[in-house]
Amino acid sequence: MSSDIFVGGGGPDYAVKQFLSLGYANRHGLIAGATGTGKTVTLQILAEGFSQAGVPVFMADVKGDLSGLAKAGDPAHKLHDAFTGRAATIGFDDYAYAAFPVTFWDLFGAQGHPVRTTVSEMGPLLLSQLLELTEAQEGILNIAFRLADEDGLPLLDLKDLQALLVWIGENARDLSLRYGNVSGASIGAIQRRLLVLENQGGAQLFGEPALALSDLMRTDATGRGMVNILASDKLMGAPKLYATFLLWLLSELFEELPEVGDPEKPKLVFFFDEAHLLFDDAPKALVDKVEQVARLIRSKGVGVYFITQNPADVPEDILGQLGNRIQHALRAFTAKDRNELRQAAETYRENPAFDTEEAIREVGVGEAVTSMLQRKGVPGIVERTLIRPPSSQLGPITDAERAAVMSASPMAGKYDTLLDRESAFEILRKRAEDAAREAEQAEEAVARAEAEPDTPSLREFKKARRYAGKGGASGSAPARKTRGAAEEGLGGALTQMVIKELKGTTGRRIVRGVLGGLFKGR
């Protein structure tokens, strides 16, 4: 396995080989450039290089082209002569076609193995971002997660969260005393956002079996790193879902992986395509979280590479952490474009041989301005680089070929069947059924008591009342003798009055409310 990844040829006549050092590959990177300038091929050849070095890769396939990594290039392809000619120009002497180990994933389970997480693992911050909630609505979501933790209610899928929100709405008055205002309008707004997410297919993201991170960090029998490809062409129809899922995955890697310091090579390389979707209209709390993950996750042995059209799409604090850079052409049609082009050029270590700003504007398709980290993590001098040709197929494979790769994968069957174990939805439903059953039993007890004959205590009460009507209450002996009986009779009369009230519809509601409250208290 090589300690470097060959990227292309730079310098005069493209004869100087440009490498990405594996020892600094976990220092993150940036692949930028306008549409049609060659970003996808650059992404493809980097995935090939990491896989060949034994480093697993996770990448989103936004356009469907990256599936070609699973198949060797074809000598009969129309670009074969161009590829071999470029390989000769940059000194890629051992260039040959090859396929790479690929695992296909898909949130919708159509073009890859299903990939899921649970609502609990997603957490309130990311879920609020996904649902585009207001601050007040996010507060209620935090209450829901707190209650789920305290009451042992597993939040696995969306119906668990929906059921818990219903329970919170029914107990809003009591919860407001503890957590602050719990607005029914805010709960309704969250439920509507959950409905929108369901309509977008987002419900398929939540459930079990949840994705095991170890399944993304495998190598094949020959030691090559697994290339994990997430089908994202349909997912891009819900950009918030796409960005939130990838950020969740990054967060999980950050939380679960142990510290490894500066490894000889990364444990995993994560490519975040269409990175601007992560930062567009993102709240500061979320941007701060991304910055924290990007700053600290490299010590876990994970390299993160952002792919976007313009470096300006990435916040400056995060951009400053991206040491390995491949900048394809940027177009400057407006004053804003020219300003962004100048800012992009200023982030590179100058090369006296050419003007960086001019080079970024002029590089052709398949060519880029590159700067890789060198010894001690120092940025290399910027170079105009001709990107090496891919060894795998350029463009997508067929549906039949994809199906064959999936059926031969060790992941086949592991995630296909959705599990629906007991969780918050089932627990709350059972509690409601138990409360309703107790209410029915109480109503039956009331009905039986109502059918019983007049009790002695009630007859004594009526007798005392007659004496009182004749003046006995002024202190006569009969009144004093029946005082105890009257008090007992008063209790019996009140019991009968309550029984009569419980006989009506209002009474039944009272019974359900009291029993329900006691049950919920338990």
Side-chain angles (χ1 to χ4, degrees), residues 383-508:
E383 287 284 1
R384 289 186 64 154
T385 303
L386 194 61
I387 303 299
R388 79 162 180 85
S391 297
S392 55
Q393 175 175 297
L394 186 66
I397 59 177
T398 66
D399 291 342
E401 291 169 335
R402 181 189 290 267
V405 172
M406 291 173 58
S407 63
S409 170
M411 298 297 101
K414 181 174 182 178
Y415 296 99
D416 294 346
T417 303
L418 179 65
L419 302 180
D420 191 16
R421 67 182 177 92
E422 185 178 71
S423 52
F425 175 80
E426 289 78 15
I427 293 172
L428 291 173
R429 181 175 62 182
K430 184 176 184 301
R431 290 182 181 181
E433 291 173 350
D434 290 345
R437 184 164 50 252
E438 291 182 22
E440 291 176 0
Q441 293 172 353
E443 290 182 29
E444 292 173 359
V446 168
R448 287 195 300 270
E450 186 180 29
E452 291 178 359
D454 209 8
T455 62
S457 59
L458 184 56
R459 287 195 298 273
E460 289 294 328
F461 172 72
K462 292 178 179 178
K463 183 177 179 182
R465 185 175 60 183
R466 286 196 298 272
Y467 275 114
K470 296 177 181 179
S474 62
S476 62
R480 288 194 299 270
K481 289 179 181 179
T482 59
R483 182 176 178 182
E487 291 175 349
E488 181 182 353
L490 179 60
L494 291 175
T495 299
Q496 293 294 331
M497 291 171 63
V498 171
I499 289 174
K500 181 176 180 181
E501 177 64 23
L502 290 176
K503 184 179 178 182
T505 304
T506 302
R508 286 194 292 273

Side-chain angles (χ1 to χ4, degrees), residues 193-521:
R193 297 304 304 168
L194 290 173
L195 180 61
V196 172
L197 181 60
E198 280 188 303
N199 292 339
Q200 293 176 343
Q204 298 180 64
L205 169 61
F206 299 101
E208 291 184 320
L211 176 66
L213 296 182
S214 58
D215 287 337
L216 301 179
M217 306 175 71
R218 298 176 293 114
T219 57
D220 70 357
T222 64
R224 293 183 301 173
M226 186 62 60
V227 180
N228 299 278
I229 300 178
L230 177 69
S232 303
D233 49 346
K234 295 181 181 178
L235 184 59
M236 293 304 294
K240 283 289 184 182
L241 180 60
Y242 167 79
T244 304
F245 169 75
L246 292 185
L247 182 54
W248 163 80
L249 189 53
L250 268 182
S251 300
E252 287 296 296
L253 290 167
F254 172 69
E255 293 292 337
E256 292 192 17
L257 293 181
E259 296 277 346
V260 295
D262 290 319
E264 294 183 358
K265 61 183 181 181
K267 299 175 67 174
L268 177 71
V269 170
F270 190 101
F271 290 99
F272 204 132
D273 203 356
E274 300 294 341
H276 68 279
L277 296 175
L278 177 59
F279 304 108
D280 287 349
D281 302 321
K284 185 179 184 303
L286 184 62
V287 175
D288 290 345
K289 183 176 179 63
V290 177
E291 181 187 349
Q292 178 194 38
V293 170
R295 184 175 65 254
L296 299 177
I297 201 171
R298 80 178 193 184
S299 65
K300 307 294 184 83
V302 177
V304 183
Y305 288 71
F306 293 93
I307 300 94
T308 188
Q309 293 193 17
N310 196 313
D313 295 333
V314 181
E316 187 174 351
D317 290 341
I318 297 173
L319 189 64
Q321 302 179 48
L322 310 182
N324 300 296
R325 299 191 181 189
I326 300 177
Q327 175 68 66
H328 289 272
L330 283 177
R331 310 308 180 195
F333 299 110
T334 67
K336 181 176 181 293
D337 293 339
R338 288 190 293 272
N339 183 52
E340 291 177 347
L341 175 59
R342 183 173 58 257
Q343 290 178 347
E346 290 174 351
T347 63
Y348 289 92
R349 183 180 169 189
E350 292 184 2
N351 188 331
F354 60 88
D355 180 84
T356 305
E357 182 178 344
E358 183 178 340
I360 294 176
R361 184 188 299 111
E362 293 180 351
V363 289
V365 176
E367 190 179 5
V369 170
T370 64
S371 174
M372 305 299 175
L373 292 178
Q374 298 178 339
R375 190 176 181 181
K376 296 184 179 180
V378 176
I381 294 176
V382 64
E383 287 284 1
R384 289 186 64 154
T385 303
L386 194 61
I387 303 299
R388 79 162 180 85
S391 297
S392 55
Q393 175 175 297
L394 186 66
I397 59 177
T398 66
D399 291 342
E401 291 169 335
R402 181 189 290 267
V405 172
M406 291 173 58
S407 63
S409 170
M411 298 297 101
K414 181 174 182 178
Y415 296 99
D416 294 346
T417 303
L418 179 65
L419 302 180
D420 191 16
R421 67 182 177 92
E422 185 178 71
S423 52
F425 175 80
E426 289 78 15
I427 293 172
L428 291 173
R429 181 175 62 182
K430 184 176 184 301
R431 290 182 181 181
E433 291 173 350
D434 290 345
R437 184 164 50 252
E438 291 182 22
E440 291 176 0
Q441 293 172 353
E443 290 182 29
E444 292 173 359
V446 168
R448 287 195 300 270
E450 186 180 29
E452 291 178 359
D454 209 8
T455 62
S457 59
L458 184 56
R459 287 195 298 273
E460 289 294 328
F461 172 72
K462 292 178 179 178
K463 183 177 179 182
R465 185 175 60 183
R466 286 196 298 272
Y467 275 114
K470 296 177 181 179
S474 62
S476 62
R480 288 194 299 270
K481 289 179 181 179
T482 59
R483 182 176 178 182
E487 291 175 349
E488 181 182 353
L490 179 60
L494 291 175
T495 299
Q496 293 294 331
M497 291 171 63
V498 171
I499 289 174
K500 181 176 180 181
E501 177 64 23
L502 290 176
K503 184 179 178 182
T505 304
T506 302
R508 286 194 292 273
R509 285 201 299 267
I510 292 174
V511 170
R512 290 193 180 101
V514 171
L515 291 176
L518 291 174
F519 179 76
K520 291 165 186 169

Side-chain angles (χ1 to χ4, degrees), residues 126-141:
L126 291 181
L127 197 56
S128 296
Q129 168 69 9
L130 175 59
L131 299 176
E132 300 180 279
L133 301 184
T134 66
E135 184 177 351
Q137 294 160 3
E138 183 179 350
I140 289 178
L141 201 59

